[in-house]
């Protein structure tokens, strides 16, 4: 039974003093300072936070439970598996502590599900975990998911603006309301835990996760952290804490994931301990006193050391100095990146202070190796008991022992509780407050809604594009508006505003129209992406889906142009700003498209642009410490600002502005433009838009190689010789590469116990793609394969007109993984046609 908690104790004077200097630290550390901190963490230099008081009733319950647990149960408690890789029966057998749903791991064939489908699976896992057969006491499992901007894997849920937009609104009160709505909708599907808030302080927005950060400014991140925890969990010490409609929260990713060199995901943060402490840890200084129950470790490294193995930071700093008494959870097989570890064997992480491994598909092997390490003393029993105690502490505090099965809890399965009008109003307000007006020459905004409005651009009608990644699926791609039953597109919002006022809306997605209009509203920007697939080499906005040069045509006719720019980060888009009379950074606003129209037309006299940049806007596409921003942190116009943005330089800073093929065809789990994935079965040809998918007897899904879902899994279930191709509509001339000792290179493995024989080809525009080479794919481990382009040339492939950079086919029963398809220089100067 849950008891009322004590009030939060005040933090120490040292902690308060440290907060006063937050955000005022010089972040450009000298090389000497960085080197000085490279081999040593100094816990005494970190703020000392008084740990929240432990509930004696809960601690007594843990004291009673621990001796009743078998060693096997204790090991099970420290492991979390993905629902796509574990059955309820296995949860019972191995007594796992938690299940998660990865970005694409919903029950059923889709990456998302409806409430009842989620709830049915939640019940199955919960009931299996509490089955006492064979044990003295059973411990309920908890189910986690990434609800990072609303419960975005639940059909019908509200999708809020991504964090980069919420940082621009700088409204902690509204932030708490957003978190509360998210928690409410999570309880409808039976989830116990969300992996939020993200407390990264991104310093290089080339990072593909930049939109998950609220700001490059530590003070903004810190001001939000506690309020999100309150919204998700309730206030520690009050009766509502972890009550009905609340879920467990997780501050992530500890630590400095936003500081990696060149913004490389899972990279290395080469910053001083001073910056680590005063900038990147800022959010934890408010999240921990607010009672955040879990902290997730970062994939990344600090000074070359993987955080999943850093005892000084996970134990000495986080748990002891910062007073965190919840539990520390890993990230998706992140423990496997610690030197000396694999995904299925890593005592180092638990010994460093990790309490729960996130082992989505590696859980069974990890369970066995961890059990072995405890038995032989590699992992001390005291460390295992401490980890289990922390997990039990959070579980008991969450009420999981007394709530009953997920389907019996308040809100469970009630679709009518999703997208409530009052909650959609909160999301719409967030959209209004997150938009930043960068340019408004000649007071173009607000627009008179009684006019004739021409709306153009591929983002106007596309809700998925307005939502970005981590929406319905991990990368957020390939979704239609029908999949957002409680959402409105930006075009919907514009139509509603204009029709109400008596004006006229004309929509032309590609802008190919001669219609006379008073104003043009263009909605365009980045396509959805998530994590490492979104990493960039530079910040040059490359138009996709819409020809932005058409904006100039309307301007030349004297028609004002308003650009609504959708992006997960500030990008260099000076040409687009020049072609616009007004330019709005709308970020990734989510499912409440009406929030955009509220400000385009100032639908209420109280409405105005109040969003201010929480990230500086680049003046160059090339990232350099010497570059001054075009628009500084905190910049943003209101309707009445009499500020003219003059013609901007259209020199991107990139010496060669031509789009040059990098020789990459499939990288980080996605085809590299202009290449796409196609399936061929007889006369049936199908482009892959989402996963899993199939044609004929060929089934394509995602699997893991070096990172989450960065590879394809290809199964031939029939003997039809079906093909998968990496193709482009514009044939590429690879004759130079064929003559220049280049090799078609990829990584592959057979999922079967024996090697697989596949046929590999490159196809020219005029061939039937039947000139192939047999390659033997090794069983049970990933291996790199290299085929000289000259081999295909010798087969008679026209290398001047390559339409498929890779074609692969095989016989019935073959089941392989394939990743990282690219061209590489011949490393040993020995041309080979066998895959080397």
């Amino acid at each position: 039974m849950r008891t009322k908690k004590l009030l939060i104790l005040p933090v120490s004077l040292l902690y308060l003093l440290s907060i006063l200097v937050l955000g005022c630290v010089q972040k450009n550390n000298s090389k000497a300072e960085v080197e000085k901190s490279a081999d040593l963490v100094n816990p005494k230099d970190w703020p000392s936070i008084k740990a929240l008081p432990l509930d004696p009733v809960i601690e007594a319950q843990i004291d009673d439970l621990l001796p009743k647990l078998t060693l096997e149960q204790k090991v099970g408690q420290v492991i979390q598996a993905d629902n796509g890789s574990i059955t309820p029966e296995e949860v019972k057998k191995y007594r796992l502590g938690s299940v998660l749903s990865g970005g694409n791991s919903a029950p059923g064939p889709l990456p998302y599900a409806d409430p009842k489908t989620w709830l049915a699976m939640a019940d199955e896992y919960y009931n299996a975990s509490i089955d006492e057969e064979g044990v003295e006491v059973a411990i309920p499992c908890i189910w986690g998911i990434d609800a990072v901007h609303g419960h975005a894997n639940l059909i019908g849920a509200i999708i809020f603006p991504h964090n980069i937009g919420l940082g621009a609104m700088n409204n902690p009160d509204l932030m708490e309301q957003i978190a509360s709505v998210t928690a409410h909708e999570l309880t409808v599907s039976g989830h116990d835990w969300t992996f939020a808030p993200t407390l990264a302080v991104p310093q290089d927005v080339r990072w593909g996760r930049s939109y998950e950060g609220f700001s490059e400014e530590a003070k903004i991140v810190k001001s939000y952290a506690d309020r999100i925890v309150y919204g998700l969990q309730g206030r520690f010490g009050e009766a509502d804490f972890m009550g009905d409609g609340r879920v467990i929260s997780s501050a992530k990713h500890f630590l400095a994931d936003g500081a990696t060199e060149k913004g490389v995901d899972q990279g290395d943060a080469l910053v001083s301990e001073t910056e680590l402490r005063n900038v990147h840890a800022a959010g934890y200084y408010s999240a921990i006193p607010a009672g955040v129950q879990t902290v997730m470790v970062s994939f990344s490294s600090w000074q070359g050391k993987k955080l999943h193995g850093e005892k000084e930071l996970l134990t000495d700093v986080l748990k002891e100095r910062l007073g965190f008494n919840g539990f520390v959870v890993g990230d998706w097989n992140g423990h496997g990146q610690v030197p000396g570890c694999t995904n299925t064997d890593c005592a180092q992480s638990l010994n460093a202070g990790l309490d729960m491994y996130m082992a989505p598909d590696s859980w069974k092997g990890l369970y066995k190796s961890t059990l072995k390490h405890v038995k032989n003393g590699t992992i001390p029993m005291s460390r295992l008991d401490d980890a289990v105690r922390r997990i039990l502490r959070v579980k008991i505090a969450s009420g999981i022992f007394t709530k009953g099965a997920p389907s019996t809890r308040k809100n469970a399965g009630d679709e009518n509780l999703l997208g409530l009008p009052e909650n959609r109003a909160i999301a719409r307000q967030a959209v209004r407050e997150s938009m930043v007006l960068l340019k408004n020459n000649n007071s173009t905004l607000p627009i008179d809604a009684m006019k004739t409005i021409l709306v153009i651009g591929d983002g106007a009608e596309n809700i998925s594009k307005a939502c970005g990644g981590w929406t319905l699926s991990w990368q957020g791609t390939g979704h239609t508006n029908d999949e957002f039953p409680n959402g409105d597109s930006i075009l919907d919002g514009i139509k509603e505003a204009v029709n109400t006022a008596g004006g006229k809306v004309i929509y032309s997605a590609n802008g190919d129209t001669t219609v006379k209009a008073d104003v043009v509203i263009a909605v365009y920007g980045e396509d959805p992406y998530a994590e490492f697939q979104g990493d960039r080499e530079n910040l040059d906005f490359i138009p996709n889906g819409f020809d932005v040069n058409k904006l100039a045509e309307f301007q030349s006719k004297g028609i004002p142009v308003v650009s609504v720019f959708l992006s997960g980060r500030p990008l260099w888009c000076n040409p687009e700003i020049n072609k616009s009379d007004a330019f709005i950074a709308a970020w990734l606003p989510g499912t409440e498209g009406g929030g955009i129209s509220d400000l385009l037309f100032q639908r209420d006299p109280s409405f105005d642009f109040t969003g201010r940049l929480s990230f500086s806007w680049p003046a160059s596409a090339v990232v350099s410490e010497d570059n001054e921003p075009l628009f500084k942190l905190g910049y943003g116009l209101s309707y009445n600002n009499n500020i003219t943005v003059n013609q901007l330089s259209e020199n991107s800073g990139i010496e060669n502005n031509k789009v040059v093929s990098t020789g990459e065809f499939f990288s980080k789990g996605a085809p590299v433009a202009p290449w796409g994935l196609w399936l061929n079965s007889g006369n049936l040809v199908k482009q892959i838009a989402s996963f899993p998918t199939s044609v004929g007897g060929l089934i394509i899904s995602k699997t893991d190689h070096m990172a989450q879902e960065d590879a394809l899994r290809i199964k031939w279930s029939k003997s039809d010789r079906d093909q998968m191709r990496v193709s482009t509509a514009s044939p590429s001339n690879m004759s130079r590469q064929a003559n220049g000792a280049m090799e078609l290179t990829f990584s592959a493995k057979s999922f079967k116990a024996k090697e697989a024989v596949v046929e590999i080809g490159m196809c020219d525009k005029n061939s039937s793609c039947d000139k192939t080479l047999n390659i033997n794919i090794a069983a049970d481990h990933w291996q790199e394969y290299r085929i000289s382009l000259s081999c295909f040339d010798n087969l008679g492939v026209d290398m001047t007109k390559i339409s498929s950079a890779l074609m692969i086919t095989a016989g019935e029963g073959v089941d392989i993984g394939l990743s990282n398809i690219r061209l590489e220089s011949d490393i040993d100067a020995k041309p080979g046609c066998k895959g080397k």
Side-chain angles (χ1 to χ4, degrees), residues 426-583:
I426 291 171
R428 186 163 178 159
Q429 179 183 348
V431 174
R432 287 196 298 271
E433 295 189 16
S434 65
M435 290 188 290
V436 181
L437 182 59
L438 301 181
K439 178 180 180 179
N440 192 28
N441 288 5
N442 303 314
S443 298
T444 300
L445 295 177
I447 302 168
D448 183 352
M450 297 179 67
K451 301 286 188 179
T452 297
I453 312 295
L454 173 61
V455 181
I456 62 176
D458 65 314
E461 200 174 25
N462 190 335
I463 298 178
S464 178
K465 186 157 184 163
C467 290
W470 288 110
T471 306
L472 296 182
S473 61
W474 179 36
Q475 294 292 323
T477 57
H479 301 295
T480 66
N481 287 4
D482 292 340
E483 296 169 280
F484 299 92
N486 288 327
D488 289 328
S489 69
I490 294 171
L491 179 62
D492 290 333
I494 292 172
K495 286 181 175 179
E496 196 274 330
V498 175
N499 291 340
T500 298
K504 181 179 181 181
V505 173
I506 302 164
Y507 174 57
S508 172
N510 59 17
D512 289 334
T513 177
T514 57
V515 67
K516 293 182 179 180
D518 298 305
V519 179
V520 170
I521 299 173
V523 188
Y524 57 93
E526 289 190 294
D527 288 329
Y529 55 83
E531 294 194 49
F532 61 94
Q533 291 190 21
D535 285 1
R536 295 282 303 267
E537 292 289 332
N538 58 61
L539 296 179
D540 187 15
F541 169 58
I542 301 173
N544 50 72
F546 173 67
D547 183 3
V548 294
N549 291 316
K550 293 176 180 176
L551 303 181
E553 298 176 13
F554 292 106
Q555 275 192 327
S556 68
K557 298 175 183 178
I559 304 173
V561 173
V562 177
S563 282
V564 178
F565 188 61
L566 304 173
S567 72
R569 56 192 144 207
L571 289 170
W572 185 83
C573 49
N574 285 13
E576 288 72 36
I577 296 175
N578 284 338
K579 294 180 179 72
S580 307
D581 297 278
F583 192 93

Side-chain angles (χ1 to χ4, degrees), residues 15 341 353 360 370 385 407 468 472 551 576 596 639 645 706 712 803:
Y15 166 60
C341 290
T370 304
D385 280 345
S407 62
L472 296 182
L551 303 181
E576 288 72 36
I596 304 288
Y639 292 127
V645 176
M706 300 298 292
L712 300 171
S803 58

Side-chain angles (χ1 to χ4, degrees), residues 29 163 284 395 400 409 475 539 547 590 592 602 643 815:
N29 308 285
N163 288 352
Y284 298 89
K395 286 187 174 185
I400 193 71
R409 302 171 194 167
Q475 294 292 323
L539 296 179
D547 183 3
E592 289 302 318
Q602 196 178 23
I643 294 175
D815 183 0

Side-chain angles (χ1 to χ4, degrees), residues 78-89:
V78 303
I79 294 177
Q80 179 187 61
D82 183 80
N83 69 250
S85 300
I86 191 168
T87 65
E89 292 75 20

Side-chain angles (χ1 to χ4, degrees), residues 558-773:
I559 304 173
V561 173
V562 177
S563 282
V564 178
F565 188 61
L566 304 173
S567 72
R569 56 192 144 207
L571 289 170
W572 185 83
C573 49
N574 285 13
E576 288 72 36
I577 296 175
N578 284 338
K579 294 180 179 72
S580 307
D581 297 278
F583 192 93
I584 300 167
W587 313 112
L588 299 170
T591 51
E592 289 302 318
I596 304 288
S597 64
D598 284 346
L599 294 192
L600 286 173
F601 305 102
Q602 196 178 23
R603 301 197 67 193
D604 185 287
S606 67
F607 292 167
D608 202 345
F609 284 90
T610 58
R612 300 295 180 257
L613 290 178
S614 58
F615 290 86
S616 53
W617 197 276
S620 170
V622 177
V623 176
S624 168
E625 291 183 1
D626 300 328
N627 288 350
E628 286 293 320
L630 177 63
F631 302 114
K632 294 182 178 180
L633 183 79
Y635 173 88
L637 303 177
S638 299
Y639 292 127
N640 295 326
N641 289 129
N642 188 23
I643 294 175
T644 298
V645 176
N646 295 318
Q647 191 76 4
L648 303 173
S649 168
E650 297 194 4
N651 179 5
S652 69
I654 301 174
E655 291 183 6
N656 185 359
N657 283 323
K658 294 180 180 179
V659 178
V660 179
S661 172
T662 62
E664 287 191 317
F665 308 120
F666 181 88
S667 177
K668 301 177 181 178
V672 179
W675 303 92
L677 300 179
W678 295 79
L679 304 183
N680 292 57
S681 179
N683 294 324
L684 182 61
V685 179
K686 175 182 179 181
Q687 184 173 17
I688 297 177
S690 60
F691 295 91
T693 189
S694 65
V695 64
L698 190 60
I699 303 170
I700 309 287
S701 58
K702 286 291 190 72
T703 190
D704 297 349
H705 175 207
M706 300 298 292
Q708 181 182 355
E709 297 191 0
D710 65 337
L712 300 171
R713 185 166 185 171
I714 312 172
K715 298 181 184 180
W716 283 265
S717 62
K718 297 180 181 179
S719 57
D720 295 336
R721 315 300 296 174
D722 296 327
Q723 303 174 352
M724 191 209 76
R725 301 187 189 186
V726 182
S727 301
T728 179
S730 302
S732 177
N733 186 344
M734 295 190 186
S735 58
R736 179 179 176 275
Q737 290 90 331
N739 293 327
M742 296 293 287
E743 298 175 318
L744 175 64
T745 307
F746 56 90
S747 294
K749 69 174 274 190
S750 171
F751 285 98
K752 297 294 183 67
K754 61 180 181 179
E755 68 178 16
V757 179
V758 301
E759 296 176 24
I760 300 291
M762 295 186 86
C763 317
D764 63 57
K765 182 180 180 181
N766 301 316
S767 77
S768 58
C769 214
D770 57 356
K771 301 177 176 69
T772 62
L773 300 166

